[in-house]
Amino acid sequence: MLVLHYTGMATAAAALARLCDPEARVSAHYVVEENGVIWRLVPESRRAFHAGISCWEGEQDLNAVSIGIEIVNPGHDCGYRHFPEAQMAAVECLCQDLVARHPIPPHRIVGHSDIAPERKSDPGELFDWARLARAGVGIWPPALPPASGPTVDAARCLDDLASIGYCVVTGSLRPALVAFQRRFRQSCCDGRLDTPTAARLSEVRDAFARLRPRTGGARYTSKLNASCSSCT
Ligand SMILES: [Zn+2]
């Protein structure tokens, strides 16, 4: 898996110091600064402590199976702001390189909030997932014009979220919906199951169903374009 985060700290220096402090018990494989500088803190073959208590597609202990990227941004509690172009270009490049070298299928590229909706909001609704998908990283189905008024139904919503990969039960529907919106319907992340959210859920569910491999993810790596001259 690939898990994208924001650092949620005032500066890159503060985030790097914390991620390198053994006492903090948090770490990530990579940190991407706002100016595009990429730091590797943990070898990809080693476990990093970035996901915490989390779940995706019914699987837990995601630190054991994932590479974590911390993207420098103050975060929602500290002055959340747009991710600059240099930073996004670096993130895109790094992710392309990772999915080319590891069997990471598109349906296992997630944000921290996707795998821990009740605890986490990162990388948040300003993160450009559509751009990454255009670069061959992750899934971003185009939003279709509404056909005949999708059904807004809580049971179906739970099914759709679970089909996508969210670990959600009836009592935790709202945080999961907020996480879904931060990722796939970024204009409004209020956690309400309104008609546009229901429509987007079906689009995303269908896109994940189309791209989810039947026999493992390795076969997807050959489809991804890893050409990237600026990753050095
Ligand atoms: Zn995080």
PDB file of all heavy atoms in Angstrom, residues 3-7 50-51 70 112-113 120 122-123, ligand 1:
ATOM      1  N   VAL A   3       0.449   5.127   1.539  1.00  0.00           N
ATOM      2  CA  VAL A   3      -0.389   5.972   2.393  1.00  0.00           C
ATOM      3  C   VAL A   3       0.174   7.387   2.388  1.00  0.00           C
ATOM      4  O   VAL A   3       1.343   7.602   2.727  1.00  0.00           O
ATOM      5  CB  VAL A   3      -0.449   5.431   3.839  1.00  0.00           C
ATOM      6  CG1 VAL A   3      -1.371   6.313   4.684  1.00  0.00           C
ATOM      7  CG2 VAL A   3      -0.929   3.982   3.870  1.00  0.00           C
ATOM      8  N   LEU A   4      -0.674   8.335   1.994  1.00  0.00           N
ATOM      9  CA  LEU A   4      -0.246   9.733   1.931  1.00  0.00           C
ATOM     10  C   LEU A   4      -0.782  10.492   3.145  1.00  0.00           C
ATOM     11  O   LEU A   4      -1.938  10.326   3.529  1.00  0.00           O
ATOM     12  CB  LEU A   4      -0.739  10.390   0.643  1.00  0.00           C
ATOM     13  CG  LEU A   4      -0.343   9.700  -0.664  1.00  0.00           C
ATOM     14  CD1 LEU A   4      -0.632  10.614  -1.852  1.00  0.00           C
ATOM     15  CD2 LEU A   4       1.127   9.320  -0.670  1.00  0.00           C
ATOM     16  N   HIS A   5       0.094  11.328   3.697  1.00  0.00           N
ATOM     17  CA  HIS A   5      -0.221  12.104   4.896  1.00  0.00           C
ATOM     18  C   HIS A   5       0.121  13.571   4.656  1.00  0.00           C
ATOM     19  O   HIS A   5       0.881  13.891   3.761  1.00  0.00           O
ATOM     20  CB  HIS A   5       0.662  11.675   6.070  1.00  0.00           C
ATOM     21  CG  HIS A   5       0.627  10.223   6.411  1.00  0.00           C
ATOM     22  ND1 HIS A   5      -0.071   9.734   7.478  1.00  0.00           N
ATOM     23  CD2 HIS A   5       1.232   9.149   5.837  1.00  0.00           C
ATOM     24  CE1 HIS A   5       0.104   8.418   7.568  1.00  0.00           C
ATOM     25  NE2 HIS A   5       0.883   8.040   6.581  1.00  0.00           N
ATOM     26  N   TYR A   6      -0.376  14.440   5.532  1.00  0.00           N
ATOM     27  CA  TYR A   6       0.316  15.717   5.733  1.00  0.00           C
ATOM     28  C   TYR A   6       0.945  15.698   7.112  1.00  0.00           C
ATOM     29  O   TYR A   6       0.535  14.940   7.988  1.00  0.00           O
ATOM     30  CB  TYR A   6      -0.568  16.930   5.501  1.00  0.00           C
ATOM     31  CG  TYR A   6      -1.767  17.171   6.403  1.00  0.00           C
ATOM     32  CD1 TYR A   6      -1.704  17.076   7.787  1.00  0.00           C
ATOM     33  CD2 TYR A   6      -2.981  17.572   5.838  1.00  0.00           C
ATOM     34  CE1 TYR A   6      -2.798  17.337   8.589  1.00  0.00           C
ATOM     35  CE2 TYR A   6      -4.082  17.830   6.628  1.00  0.00           C
ATOM     36  CZ  TYR A   6      -3.986  17.722   8.009  1.00  0.00           C
ATOM     37  OH  TYR A   6      -5.070  17.979   8.794  1.00  0.00           O
ATOM     38  N   THR A   7       1.963  16.565   7.275  1.00  0.00           N
ATOM     39  CA  THR A   7       2.702  16.533   8.538  1.00  0.00           C
ATOM     40  C   THR A   7       1.905  17.157   9.682  1.00  0.00           C
ATOM     41  O   THR A   7       2.055  16.740  10.835  1.00  0.00           O
ATOM     42  CB  THR A   7       4.038  17.283   8.392  1.00  0.00           C
ATOM     43  OG1 THR A   7       3.777  18.570   7.810  1.00  0.00           O
ATOM     44  CG2 THR A   7       4.992  16.502   7.503  1.00  0.00           C
ATOM     45  N   HIS A  50       3.590   5.096  10.698  1.00  0.00           N
ATOM     46  CA  HIS A  50       2.856   6.250  10.177  1.00  0.00           C
ATOM     47  C   HIS A  50       1.342   6.046  10.143  1.00  0.00           C
ATOM     48  O   HIS A  50       0.582   6.997  10.233  1.00  0.00           O
ATOM     49  CB  HIS A  50       3.345   6.586   8.764  1.00  0.00           C
ATOM     50  CG  HIS A  50       3.171   5.469   7.778  1.00  0.00           C
ATOM     51  ND1 HIS A  50       2.066   5.390   6.955  1.00  0.00           N
ATOM     52  CD2 HIS A  50       3.927   4.380   7.506  1.00  0.00           C
ATOM     53  CE1 HIS A  50       2.171   4.300   6.216  1.00  0.00           C
ATOM     54  NE2 HIS A  50       3.288   3.661   6.521  1.00  0.00           N
ATOM     55  N   ALA A  51       0.881   4.818  10.040  1.00  0.00           N
ATOM     56  CA  ALA A  51      -0.563   4.596   9.856  1.00  0.00           C
ATOM     57  C   ALA A  51      -1.314   4.547  11.185  1.00  0.00           C
ATOM     58  O   ALA A  51      -2.466   4.979  11.267  1.00  0.00           O
ATOM     59  CB  ALA A  51      -0.788   3.306   9.072  1.00  0.00           C
ATOM     60  N   GLU A  70       4.973  11.534   4.094  1.00  0.00           N
ATOM     61  CA  GLU A  70       4.510  12.717   4.818  1.00  0.00           C
ATOM     62  C   GLU A  70       4.741  13.943   3.936  1.00  0.00           C
ATOM     63  O   GLU A  70       5.873  14.216   3.523  1.00  0.00           O
ATOM     64  CB  GLU A  70       5.272  12.874   6.142  1.00  0.00           C
ATOM     65  CG  GLU A  70       4.912  11.847   7.189  1.00  0.00           C
ATOM     66  CD  GLU A  70       3.615  12.188   7.948  1.00  0.00           C
ATOM     67  OE1 GLU A  70       3.015  13.244   7.658  1.00  0.00           O
ATOM     68  OE2 GLU A  70       3.228  11.388   8.817  1.00  0.00           O
ATOM     69  N   HIS A 112      -4.353   9.023   4.649  1.00  0.00           N
ATOM     70  CA  HIS A 112      -4.436   8.568   6.041  1.00  0.00           C
ATOM     71  C   HIS A 112      -5.884   8.593   6.530  1.00  0.00           C
ATOM     72  O   HIS A 112      -6.328   7.712   7.256  1.00  0.00           O
ATOM     73  CB  HIS A 112      -3.553   9.459   6.920  1.00  0.00           C
ATOM     74  CG  HIS A 112      -3.181   8.842   8.231  1.00  0.00           C
ATOM     75  ND1 HIS A 112      -2.502   9.520   9.210  1.00  0.00           N
ATOM     76  CD2 HIS A 112      -3.408   7.597   8.736  1.00  0.00           C
ATOM     77  CE1 HIS A 112      -2.318   8.715  10.255  1.00  0.00           C
ATOM     78  NE2 HIS A 112      -2.856   7.550   9.997  1.00  0.00           N
ATOM     79  N   SER A 113      -6.637   9.618   6.117  1.00  0.00           N
ATOM     80  CA  SER A 113      -8.034   9.712   6.568  1.00  0.00           C
ATOM     81  C   SER A 113      -8.891   8.573   6.019  1.00  0.00           C
ATOM     82  O   SER A 113      -9.897   8.206   6.629  1.00  0.00           O
ATOM     83  CB  SER A 113      -8.636  11.065   6.172  1.00  0.00           C
ATOM     84  OG  SER A 113      -8.546  11.256   4.783  1.00  0.00           O
ATOM     85  N   LYS A 120      -8.251  10.850  11.733  1.00  0.00           N
ATOM     86  CA  LYS A 120      -7.348  11.600  10.861  1.00  0.00           C
ATOM     87  C   LYS A 120      -8.074  12.339   9.744  1.00  0.00           C
ATOM     88  O   LYS A 120      -9.128  11.886   9.259  1.00  0.00           O
ATOM     89  CB  LYS A 120      -6.332  10.636  10.243  1.00  0.00           C
ATOM     90  CG  LYS A 120      -5.410   9.995  11.275  1.00  0.00           C
ATOM     91  CD  LYS A 120      -4.509  11.047  11.918  1.00  0.00           C
ATOM     92  CE  LYS A 120      -3.632  10.445  13.006  1.00  0.00           C
ATOM     93  NZ  LYS A 120      -2.791  11.448  13.655  1.00  0.00           N
ATOM     94  N   ASP A 122      -5.928  13.830   7.163  1.00  0.00           N
ATOM     95  CA  ASP A 122      -4.892  14.108   6.166  1.00  0.00           C
ATOM     96  C   ASP A 122      -4.883  13.086   5.025  1.00  0.00           C
ATOM     97  O   ASP A 122      -5.317  11.950   5.226  1.00  0.00           O
ATOM     98  CB  ASP A 122      -3.502  14.159   6.842  1.00  0.00           C
ATOM     99  CG  ASP A 122      -3.134  12.883   7.603  1.00  0.00           C
ATOM    100  OD1 ASP A 122      -3.995  12.321   8.287  1.00  0.00           O
ATOM    101  OD2 ASP A 122      -1.962  12.468   7.508  1.00  0.00           O
ATOM    102  N   PRO A 123      -4.418  13.527   3.826  1.00  0.00           N
ATOM    103  CA  PRO A 123      -3.877  14.848   3.496  1.00  0.00           C
ATOM    104  C   PRO A 123      -4.946  15.917   3.254  1.00  0.00           C
ATOM    105  O   PRO A 123      -4.600  17.070   3.037  1.00  0.00           O
ATOM    106  CB  PRO A 123      -3.074  14.588   2.227  1.00  0.00           C
ATOM    107  CG  PRO A 123      -3.797  13.473   1.552  1.00  0.00           C
ATOM    108  CD  PRO A 123      -4.304  12.598   2.676  1.00  0.00           C
TER     109      PRO A 123
HETATM  110 ZN    ZN B   1      -1.197  11.042   8.768  1.00  0.00          ZN
END
